[in-house]
Amino acid sequence: MNIMNLINALPGAVAQGLIWGIMAIGVYITFRILDIADLTVDGTLCTGGAVCIMLMLKGQPVWLAMLGGALAGMIAGMITGILCNFMGIPAILSGILTQLGLYSVNLKIMGKANQAINVDKYNLLVSLRYIKDVPFYKNTIFLVAIIILVSILLLYWFFGTELGCSLRATGCNDNMARAQGINTDLNKVLGLMIANGMVALAGSLLSQYQGFADINMGRGAIVIGLAAIIIGEAVFGKIFRNFGLRLLGVAGGSIIYYLVLQTVIWRGIDPDLLKLLSAVVVAIFLAIPTWKSKYFGKILKKGGTPHARN
């Protein structure tokens, strides 16, 4: 195994990690702030990519195409919110229903299961070709990093406003927020729209980066998003306590995830097992708090503290 192969592949892994970091920030909003397990993201990622690619193929500029992709994701998030909060369907089932419906919607948007876009014929913002041997202002890593920083600044500002604080209060304690006169149902819908808009934005960047939008490109996105959140919290949790820095830590967790993934591939692990490995890692990390309180707590109660035994 040539170490140079790994070194040459690292910039691409960082670029992918940054793009998926935007998606992970969207998952963070629902999972950590709203306390909702939203499975819509598996469909929304593809929706953002599909809308972006099709708009560009129709001759629209890249920024307008990306905006269209993000707005399509927000509409998908709104549908999940309506199913959950105004129709009484459980949140996890609402996400599954929207994700299922998006499969057909995405096929209709693209007209087929896969739509390619040629970097030589269209003015893409990011691309796999823009990783090396390009001016820094065209480098994919630089551009996506700027997008992440701007997104974090906007989210930091928004969640500091009265509306943003009421949204955070809704996720923290729904009953208490409602007692304070906050419209929690509307806040949940808004949170789902913002989160899925971020995911769709990541999808529009990912489709440009890889040069195509595919109907299955979002499959397993929720697992990658959760892995990025957990890794980011484990690595940066004690350093980044500010809300904006926590979002930055999530993006950092996504980069670490893809660097580890690239290393695993370089070591010769079967790529077919990568999603299984990701699922196992996420499951273990999600179970750690329960294990600590359930089993470690019992050990302390049984053995007592050193002071109590003395």
Side-chain angles (χ1 to χ4, degrees), residues 154-191:
L154 288 173
L155 289 172
Y156 184 78
W157 167 81
F158 170 76
F159 281 105
T161 63
E162 184 177 349
L163 179 58
C165 288
S166 68
L167 199 152
R168 292 167 71 179
T170 298
C172 184
N173 191 320
D174 183 85
N175 293 327
M176 182 63 74
R178 195 179 294 112
Q180 296 297 319
I182 296 173
N183 189 335
T184 55
D185 290 339
L186 188 62
N187 278 344
K188 288 178 181 177
V189 173
L190 178 61

Side-chain angles (χ1 to χ4, degrees), residues 244-279:
L245 292 178
R246 286 181 182 176
L247 295 180
L248 190 62
V250 171
S254 179
I255 295 172
I256 293 171
Y257 173 82
Y258 268 91
L259 289 175
V260 171
L261 205 64
Q262 193 62 55
T263 305
V264 168
I265 294 172
W266 172 71
R267 293 291 297 175
I269 302 296
D270 186 354
D272 293 340
L273 299 176
L274 292 177
K275 287 193 181 293
L276 175 61
L277 181 64
S278 299

Side-chain angles (χ1 to χ4, degrees), residues 16 34 47 57 95 97 101 104 108 119 127 130 197 201 218-219 230 232 243 245 249-250 277 290 296 304:
Q16 269 197 295
L34 289 179
T47 302
L57 290 176
L97 289 173
S104 297
K108 281 295 183 182
V119 66
S127 172
Y130 299 161
L201 176 62
R219 183 171 293 176
I230 291 166
F243 176 70
L245 292 178
V250 171
L277 181 64
T290 302
F296 187 67

Side-chain angles (χ1 to χ4, degrees), residues 41-104:
V41 298
D42 281 23
T44 310
L45 190 81
C46 177
T47 302
V51 171
C52 179
I53 292 298
M54 294 309 296
L55 284 175
M56 291 194 71
L57 290 176
K58 295 293 184 180
Q60 298 300 326
V62 63
W63 288 106
L64 185 60
M66 289 171 59
L67 178 61
L71 289 174
M74 293 182 75
I75 293 171
M78 182 179 68
I79 293 171
T80 299
I82 291 172
L83 291 175
C84 176
N85 297 287
F86 297 104
M87 296 179 67
I89 301 173
I92 192 165
L93 184 55
S94 298
I96 292 172
L97 289 173
T98 307
Q99 177 198 136
L100 185 66
L102 284 175
Y103 188 90
S104 297

